[in-house]
Amino acid sequence: MELHLNIKISTPEADEFIREFTNSDDYIIVNTSGSTGTPKTIHLPKSDMIRSAKASCEYFGINKKSRLVCPLSANYIAGKMMIIRAAVSGAELIMETPSNTPIARYYGKIDFIPVVPSQLVHLLENKAKAKHIGKVLVGGGPVPQNLVEAIKNAPFHTFASYGMTETSSHVAIKDFRNINDHYLALPGISFDVDDEFCLKIHAPGYSFDGIQTNDIVWLYDHKDFHWVGRRDNVIITGGVKVHIEEIERKISPIMNDEYFVIGVKDDFWGEKVVLYTKHAVDAEALKSLLTNFEMPKEIRIVKTIPHTPTGKILRSEIKRYKKGSGI
């Protein structure tokens, strides 16, 4: 398969992916992130990637006059898909070596750039770079609530993505300029839920049509949903279900650094809510934001928080941490 690319700056990882995509196979081999379980190796059809790239370009208005900058590694699906979007649109593409300080030099006007949350923080703090950017797509993890107002007031237009490796990157987009917190389907995609309110993706023409996810959502219609959290990130404490991601969202205004919540087996509660953080937290402030069942029964102070190479918190690694202070 031939790619017609206008790459001004490339990376070794991008070059390797281009060689793989242009070989005689009708699929590429990719690994899932492993943020919620054991990483999986999957065969991703090239036809899915091309179809997804065209839908994304249609949504974001990417065309042959656009300039794209990608500070994400082409070893992972987000970086790979930027190359395919450039190929199907004819846009100019600049690949950067990933770092927390994207846009390594002056490129002129940038129409579109994908980032992870830590890179977004840098762009929000750097007005000289921000003024040259049109649209920013953030993925790889939730955007901290304390950044939302800054995002709304930024000179660039910011979006969040929902998707997974199996769906060739995003199938839905959230616009931070909208007053609600909804994700809207890309062209050709629609949604449903199962009996446990987990999202099912309908994608006619894709190999993943009908894929069932573990993401609990509030579905407003077949194109519109609010993401609540993962089914496997539900804690049943004292007989009550609480969602890890909902707790993390609620406490984000008072958290000054990275943190995450998990459920830990407990003789009294069945499971107890445990908060991992790099700094001490005011328990009274937490109580003002959470219900009794959501309230962490223990806070564990750690020096580092593990991440996948794509920036997602690696919750499966927490077993190596020691117990911290109880509340």
Side-chain angles (χ1 to χ4, degrees):
M1 187 176 296
E2 188 176 357
L3 289 183
H4 300 283
L5 281 165
N6 179 15
I7 298 185
K8 294 300 182 184
I9 301 175
S10 190
T11 62
E13 294 80 10
D15 295 339
E16 177 59 31
F17 167 65
I18 292 168
R19 284 192 289 271
E20 181 182 14
F21 199 88
T22 54
N23 68 22
S24 59
D25 295 332
D26 58 6
Y27 62 86
I28 66 165
I29 297 174
V30 290
N31 294 312
T32 59
S33 67
S35 61
T36 57
T38 303
K40 297 183 297 182
T41 298
I42 61 175
H43 290 67
L44 191 63
K46 294 174 181 177
S47 58
D48 278 2
M49 299 176 75
I50 292 172
R51 191 181 184 98
S52 174
K54 289 179 178 178
S56 185
C57 289
E58 178 183 341
Y59 185 95
F60 290 110
I62 297 171
N63 55 49
K64 63 182 180 181
K65 297 181 180 179
S66 303
R67 175 178 290 127
L68 316 180
V69 174
C70 181
L72 307 176
S73 173
N75 284 336
Y76 301 95
I77 189 63
K80 295 178 192 295
M81 285 305 299
M82 282 299 292
I83 295 172
I84 303 305
R85 290 177 196 127
V88 301
S89 66
E92 177 185 299
L93 176 63
I94 296 167
M95 297 293 297
E96 288 192 338
T97 300
S99 77
N100 281 332
T101 57
I103 310 180
R105 64 186 74 172
Y106 176 71
Y107 303 122
K109 184 177 182 295
I110 297 169
D111 296 288
F112 186 84
I113 179 171
V115 296
V116 296
S118 59
Q119 294 172 323
L120 176 62
V121 171
H122 173 75
L123 296 182
L124 290 169
E125 293 175 346
N126 195 311
K127 294 181 180 179
K129 293 181 179 181
K131 68 181 181 181
H132 298 292
I133 303 171
K135 294 173 183 176
V136 173
L137 180 66
V138 58
V143 175
Q145 192 62 36
N146 58 6
L147 289 183
V148 171
E149 283 306 311
I151 289 170
K152 291 178 179 178
N153 296 320
F156 47 74
H157 194 168
T158 307
F159 304 82
S161 64
Y162 172 85
M164 57 207 76
T165 303
E166 293 89 335
T167 62
S168 299
S169 190
H170 48 255
V171 292
I173 299 293
K174 177 170 66 176
D175 186 342
F176 280 99
R177 290 185 179 175
N178 289 343
I179 59 173
N180 57 41
D181 192 31
H182 298 192
Y183 284 90
L184 300 178
L186 281 183
I189 305 293
S190 62
F191 305 111
D192 204 345
V193 293
D194 66 7
D195 292 341
E196 296 184 76
F197 301 100
C198 287
L199 189 72
K200 186 174 184 178
I201 302 170
H202 297 288
Y206 290 90
S207 68
F208 57 85
D209 183 29
I211 188 172
Q212 180 66 60
T213 77
N214 281 325
D215 290 308
I216 297 172
V217 303
W218 300 336
L219 188 68
Y220 296 97
D221 61 40
H222 292 300
K223 295 282 188 178
D224 183 353
F225 68 87
H226 167 77
W227 184 77
V228 177
R230 290 187 59 81
R231 180 171 54 187
D232 41 2
N233 282 347
V234 170
I235 301 170
I236 302 177
T237 180
V240 175
K241 290 183 179 181
V242 296
H243 295 276
I244 283 175
E245 290 89 354
E246 282 290 301
I247 297 172
E248 292 174 342
R249 275 196 289 270
K250 285 184 176 182
I251 67 176
S252 64
I254 66 168
M255 303 301 290
N256 296 320
D257 211 327
E258 285 190 307
Y259 61 94
F260 66 99
V261 169
I262 62 164
V264 174
K265 289 183 179 180
D266 183 80
D267 291 338
F268 182 78
W269 294 98
E271 283 184 289
K272 65 181 178 181
V273 178
V274 177
L275 170 64
Y276 281 86
T277 177
K278 290 182 179 179
H279 295 96
V281 183
D282 183 345
E284 292 303 315
L286 286 175
K287 289 177 181 178
S288 70
L289 298 171
L290 301 172
T291 68
N292 289 336
F293 289 101
E294 292 172 330
M295 183 67 188
K297 302 303 182 288
E298 188 178 336
I299 295 177
R300 301 181 181 180
I301 310 296
V302 294
K303 292 182 179 180
T304 60
I305 290 178
H307 292 78
T308 68
T310 54
K312 297 179 182 177
I313 289 176
L314 197 57
R315 298 178 196 268
S316 60
E317 289 293 307
I318 56 88
K319 293 181 180 179
R320 64 188 176 87
Y321 290 139
K322 295 181 180 179
K323 289 187 176 181
S325 59
I327 296 179

